Amino acid sequence: MNRPYNFSAGPAAIPAEVLQQAAAEMLDWHGSGMSVMEMSHRGKEFISIYEQAEADLRELLAVPPEFKILFMQGGGLAENAIVPLNLSRAGTVDFVLSGSWSQKSAKEARKYVADAHIAASGEDSQFTTLPAPESWQLSRGASYVHICSNETIHGVEFQELPDLKALGCDAPLVVDFSSHVASRPVDWSRVGLAFGGAQKNLGPAGLTLVIVREDLLGHALPACPSAFDYKTVADNQSMYNTPPTWGIYIAGLTFQWIKRQTEGGLTGVAALQARNIAKADLFYQYVDQSSFYVNKVAANCRSRMNIPFFLRDESRNDAFLAGARERGLLQLKGHKSVGGMRASIYNAMPIAGVQALVEYMREFEQRNA
């Protein structure tokens, strides 16, 4: 089945194999007589789905045993409140602003912390660069340091996670990896907590992933709702309240799809990382040699997941998007806050999709240059 290529920033493309398996199991999951959406979250059928998903994710991301994996709801925006409610102890929290999402995180945290301190910001460059970690003005005694590892709107990505200990900082690093998760390995020695919505690389909207070091549990503010207290969620294996069962199921199928991926002798996340590098290089190399298109992000922090680009003559934007739709190249319009175009090339986007987009861009340039 030939489907259009979906470049949406999220909810984003899900691997076709995953959708096909979910469709085949829709009315009757493994002879249970039920759809997954109809199951009790405490029944043996769903418990088996949940346990397999958790085990597969721990294996794929090489999550150490001292970290808890929580399946929650509310998306990344809700975690902007849930994280400070659990980790801030109402003290000072440091934020590195790298784009719209980290800005939202800092704004939300101000409701719960004594000081949401801006340790560094790329705003002066219109978020086309990342401030070097050595320049960060970190607070003494901060409860944690927050970064967004990949900014979907501005197309800026940390190529490696900062080493706070090397900067003389003992605070745990909190990472919003909503659009980054499973696209490359994670150095857990540098992380205290990572969170993300599933709807970029892991499955459908509605599921939120939290991976948190055990020593950070048990410090929630008194006002924290019980369903959002990480310790309560962990103690109840993510089932203190009814979890997003369908989202966990689809994510579990996606984890199994990731485990099957191979690339140049690599498997799993390492294979996807190699593929993602190849996809991004293909796109950036074309744009950089073009006089018709431009990407404004500094080369050392360009995202592999979300690539904003602009036609130098923006009067042609509508024609470009219309032609793309005719080719089956969908959801390329840039975010309203920055304009232009954006190609989101998450794990489920095959390299053939990027090749098709580049070929269309080349033809559009030749017709209109």
Side-chain angles (χ1 to χ4, degrees):
M1 178 176 61
N2 293 321
R3 303 180 74 218
Y5 293 115
N6 177 9
F7 293 92
S8 172
I14 293 174
E17 292 174 42
V18 170
L19 296 176
Q20 289 163 352
Q21 184 174 349
E25 297 176 345
M26 176 65 76
L27 295 180
D28 184 1
W29 182 83
H30 294 202
S32 67
M34 297 177 286
S35 166
V36 173
M37 286 186 284
E38 301 172 300
M39 291 176 180
S40 166
H41 62 294
R42 301 191 187 281
K44 63 180 176 137
E45 295 87 358
F46 182 74
I47 293 295
S48 70
I49 291 171
Y50 164 80
E51 289 177 344
Q52 187 66 56
E54 182 184 31
D56 285 344
L57 181 62
R58 188 174 291 276
E59 177 187 346
L60 282 168
L61 297 186
V63 179
E66 66 270 21
F67 282 77
K68 293 290 189 181
I69 295 175
L70 311 180
F71 294 113
M72 300 181 68
Q73 292 155 308
L77 281 177
E79 289 301 322
N80 286 337
I82 297 170
V83 172
L85 281 167
N86 277 272
L87 269 58
S88 74
R89 309 192 194 198
T92 297
V93 175
D94 283 343
F95 287 86
V96 176
L97 303 188
S98 52
S100 295
W101 293 109
S102 46
Q103 284 182 314
K104 290 177 185 292
S105 299
K107 181 179 179 181
E108 183 68 18
R110 291 190 179 99
K111 300 176 182 179
Y112 312 103
V113 305
D115 180 20
H117 172 249
I118 307 305
S121 175
E123 190 167 10
D124 287 348
S125 72
Q126 296 182 304
F127 297 120
T128 59
T129 63
L130 282 173
E134 307 79 55
S135 71
W136 296 359
Q137 301 297 309
L138 298 171
S139 304
R140 184 183 299 274
S143 299
Y144 61 89
V145 178
H146 177 111
I147 67 168
C148 178
S149 60
N150 181 75
E151 293 276 359
T152 59
I153 293 175
H154 291 90
V156 174
E157 182 175 18
F158 283 85
Q159 298 305 318
E160 66 173 345
L161 295 177
D163 183 355
L164 295 185
K165 288 185 174 60
L167 299 176
C169 176
D170 294 327
L173 180 68
V174 168
V175 183
D176 175 355
F177 68 172
S178 295
S179 52
H180 201 190
V181 60
S183 68
R184 60 173 68 190
V186 177
D187 183 351
W188 292 105
S189 70
R190 299 185 177 188
V191 177
L193 181 149
F195 71 86
Q199 66 271 17
K200 318 286 189 182
N201 272 325
L202 300 182
L207 170 64
T208 308
L209 175 67
V210 177
I211 304 178
V212 55
R213 212 171 60 213
E214 284 183 299
D215 65 294
L216 299 177
L217 301 175
H219 305 291
L221 299 179
C224 181
S226 297
F228 296 153
D229 184 328
Y230 291 144
K231 187 174 189 308
T232 300
V233 178
D235 288 347
N236 288 274
Q237 291 74 51
S238 298
M239 297 196 192
Y240 177 76
N241 65 322
T242 306
T245 55
W246 180 256
I248 293 171
Y249 162 67
I250 297 294
L253 297 184
T254 304
F255 301 157
Q256 292 166 20
W257 175 83
I258 295 173
K259 290 175 71 173
R260 295 193 298 269
Q261 299 311 295
T262 60
E263 193 76 31
L266 302 171
T267 60
V269 171
L272 290 177
Q273 175 178 236
R275 195 177 302 165
N276 289 330
I277 290 171
K279 291 187 297 186
D281 284 351
L282 173 64
F283 191 93
Y284 285 121
Q285 286 169 11
Y286 170 68
V287 169
D288 286 346
Q289 61 80 45
S290 169
S291 60
F292 194 83
Y293 306 99
V294 62
N295 171 271
K296 301 175 183 179
V297 177
N300 68 344
C301 57
R302 283 172 162 176
S303 173
R304 296 177 191 167
M305 298 285 97
N306 311 92
I307 305 178
F309 63 99
F310 300 83
L311 280 67
R312 293 186 187 274
D313 179 0
E314 295 203 64
S315 69
R316 301 186 187 278
N317 283 1
D318 289 344
F320 177 89
L321 289 169
R325 283 192 296 271
E326 291 174 3
R327 288 285 195 95
L329 306 170
L330 308 181
Q331 308 267 21
L332 283 166
K333 187 175 183 179
H335 192 273
K336 61 184 178 181
S337 66
V338 296
M341 309 297 159
R342 174 173 52 171
S344 294
I345 52 175
Y346 300 120
N347 287 344
M349 176 60 65
I351 195 164
V354 181
Q355 291 168 336
L357 174 57
V358 168
E359 182 59 29
Y360 166 68
M361 291 171 66
R362 182 179 287 112
E363 292 178 12
F364 189 86
E365 177 177 2
Q366 290 170 348
R367 290 199 309 270
N368 294 279

